[in-house]
Amino acid sequence: MAKRNNLLIFILTIGVFGILTTEMGVIGILPLIADHFHISVSNAGLLVSLFALAVAISGPILPLLFSGINRKKVMLFVLGVFVLGNIISIFASNFTILLIARTIPAFFHPVYCSLALTVAATSVSKEESPKAVSKVMLGVTAGMVLGIPVSNYIASETSLEMAIVFFTIVNAIAFISTLLFVPSMPVKERVSYGTQLSVLKKSSTWLAILTIIFIGSAISSVNSYIAVYLETITNISGKTLSLVLLLLGLASLIGTLAGGKLLTKNASKTVISLPIGLGIVYLLSLLTGKSTGPMMITILLLGMLFAIGHIVSQYWITSAAPDAPDFANGLFLSGGNLGITIGTAVGGLFISGMGTQYIVLGGLLFLILSLASILLSNYMYSPKKQLAS
């Protein structure tokens, strides 16, 4: 049983890795796409922004609509859509076809990812579920971290088309593995749409959504501009910058696994500690930003805490809405994407208003808000409070 669960979680991890690589990997080849189709890099950027917008829109809706269908069939359908979209992308004769071939699969991104998180959580005991979820989240992190440099390397060494072939192969491996090794997973107790949507009537759910947005904004206001920060403040550029960003990514992989273990050990303490710990590291970056050696330590800490932040967010929303896990995971993906949008905008305002060094101030603002919403939630919905009422 344990071996079967491990194989299932491994296949889910490959699946989310393939989907996230398709989403993020294109960032590494945007200049090549712009040259290939004779368009500006900002226009090519629509491949990223429209993908993220599609995820944010469909996040709360499509996982809900697919929640009653056999989970294996849903996984195969979504992976099949991604494989087909990538194949069309390889042979796209113009940019519009490429944009359509990427945006349509993007709507199904939350369906697979929310389902993968739900299946991982329910395949083990309740106590072990954060650890199982963190393994799937490892695929998300790896896709975000490795997708960009790998696609860039393949495209620069071979061709643009071969980079998209790489996306196709990873998704195809996940599709074949699911077809061969994942058992049929019919939904035994189908939760009605009304029951799932009723979680939105609870103030605890909205507090959790706010927390996700605040944590996502706190991370993105700094992470979106980390390369700019390292170039202008720490004076790191070229291949050294690429190595430092890879270091940040590898630290994120460690943080993803550590986050799962910490939540399994003591969930409440981990959730409260996250904004405090990240806030301390943000302040540390103000002190170490201009010194390369100390900044490397700060980068390692940032990478780990960014990843723990994502794990904590997923845990927090699914704990607030345990009766509708698929819907809750969809809300997690939407809230996270909304946080990216807000955080990136606020980080940009701090850069233009005060200078690159002070992007952490925007992050600190959102961390204070996230800590306040976590403490408020703990106060309002503590077991003692519930018993008293």
Side-chain angles (χ1 to χ4, degrees):
M1 184 70 178
K3 276 187 179 178
R4 192 165 42 164
N5 281 347
N6 287 337
L7 179 62
L8 173 62
I9 290 168
F10 180 66
I11 292 168
L12 293 172
T13 305
I14 294 171
V16 293
F17 173 70
I19 286 171
L20 264 294
T21 301
T22 300
E23 178 181 5
M24 303 302 292
V26 78
I27 294 170
I29 54 174
L30 280 183
L32 294 166
I33 289 170
D35 288 343
H36 184 81
F37 291 106
H38 309 294
I39 57 171
S40 66
V41 173
S42 59
N43 279 346
L46 286 169
L47 293 169
V48 180
S49 55
L50 284 185
F51 196 108
L53 183 63
V55 173
I57 291 167
S58 67
I61 304 162
L62 287 190
L64 181 69
L65 295 178
F66 280 86
S67 61
I69 304 169
N70 185 304
R71 286 169 169 175
K72 179 176 179 174
K73 289 179 181 176
V74 175
M75 287 184 214
L76 288 171
F77 170 72
V78 177
L79 291 168
V81 169
F82 268 82
V83 170
L84 184 62
N86 280 319
I87 290 170
I88 293 168
S89 298
I90 296 167
F91 301 103
S93 56
N94 60 61
F95 182 69
T96 304
I97 292 171
L98 179 64
L99 196 59
I100 293 166
R102 268 184 60 82
T103 307
I104 290 173
F107 283 101
F108 298 98
H109 170 298
V111 177
Y112 186 92
C113 290
S114 65
L115 190 61
L117 294 168
T118 303
V119 170
T122 53
S123 68
V124 293
S125 66
K126 192 179 178 182
E127 294 73 29
E128 291 293 309
S129 67
K131 208 182 286 185
V133 167
S134 73
K135 288 176 183 174
V136 174
M137 289 288 279
L138 196 64
V140 174
T141 309
M144 294 173 79
V145 171
L146 301 175
I148 297 169
V150 169
S151 64
N152 179 270
Y153 177 78
I154 292 170
S156 58
E157 291 295 315
T158 54
S159 67
L160 176 65
E161 288 81 6
M162 285 308 294
I164 304 172
V165 167
F166 169 68
F167 305 154
T168 313
I169 289 169
V170 178
N171 283 289
I173 289 169
F175 180 91
I176 294 163
S177 301
T178 303
L179 184 66
L180 297 178
F181 302 113
V182 172
S184 176
M185 288 189 285
V187 179
K188 291 169 187 172
E189 292 179 26
R190 187 169 183 267
V191 184
S192 70
Y193 296 148
T195 302
Q196 293 186 71
L197 285 168
S198 68
V199 301
L200 293 175
K201 293 177 182 176
K202 297 194 295 182
S203 54
S204 57
T205 304
W206 287 104
L207 259 179
I209 292 168
L210 274 178
T211 305
I212 291 170
I213 294 168
F214 291 148
I215 291 174
S217 300
I219 291 170
S220 297
S221 61
V222 174
N223 194 35
S224 299
Y225 303 101
I226 197 72
V228 180
Y229 187 94
L230 289 166
E231 273 189 308
T232 55
I233 307 301
T234 321
N235 291 318
I236 295 172
S237 58
K239 287 186 177 178
T240 311
L241 178 61
S242 298
L243 284 170
V244 174
L245 292 174
L246 184 62
L247 186 71
L248 179 77
L250 293 173
S252 298
L253 295 177
I254 296 165
T256 301
L257 291 174
K261 287 179 180 177
L262 288 168
L263 283 169
T264 303
K265 200 172 179 182
N266 193 324
S268 182
K269 198 180 283 184
T270 302
V271 174
I272 293 169
S273 299
L274 171 78
I276 297 168
L278 191 52
I280 291 167
V281 177
Y282 277 1
L283 289 171
L284 190 65
S285 70
L286 283 172
L287 300 172
T288 62
K290 293 180 180 178
S291 309
T292 308
M295 190 59 192
M296 290 307 96
I297 297 166
T298 305
I299 284 292
L300 284 170
L301 293 170
L302 283 174
M304 286 192 279
L305 287 168
F306 285 164
I308 293 170
H310 296 311
I311 295 283
V312 162
S313 293
Q314 191 276 337
Y315 167 81
W316 202 238
I317 187 68
T318 50
S319 297
D323 300 330
D326 290 340
F327 184 47
N329 280 317
L331 291 172
F332 158 65
L333 292 164
S334 278
N337 275 278
L338 191 56
I340 290 170
T341 307
I342 295 168
T344 304
V346 170
L349 288 173
F350 272 91
I351 288 174
S352 58
M354 297 178 71
T356 307
Q357 189 173 358
Y358 298 102
I359 51 170
V360 294
L361 296 180
L364 286 167
L365 172 69
F366 286 118
L367 287 172
I368 291 165
L369 290 170
S370 66
L371 182 60
S373 65
I374 288 164
L375 293 173
L376 180 62
S377 187
N378 279 349
Y379 171 72
M380 289 177 68
Y381 306 105
S382 65
K384 286 181 183 176
K385 193 98 175 161
Q386 296 294 308
L387 287 170
S389 62

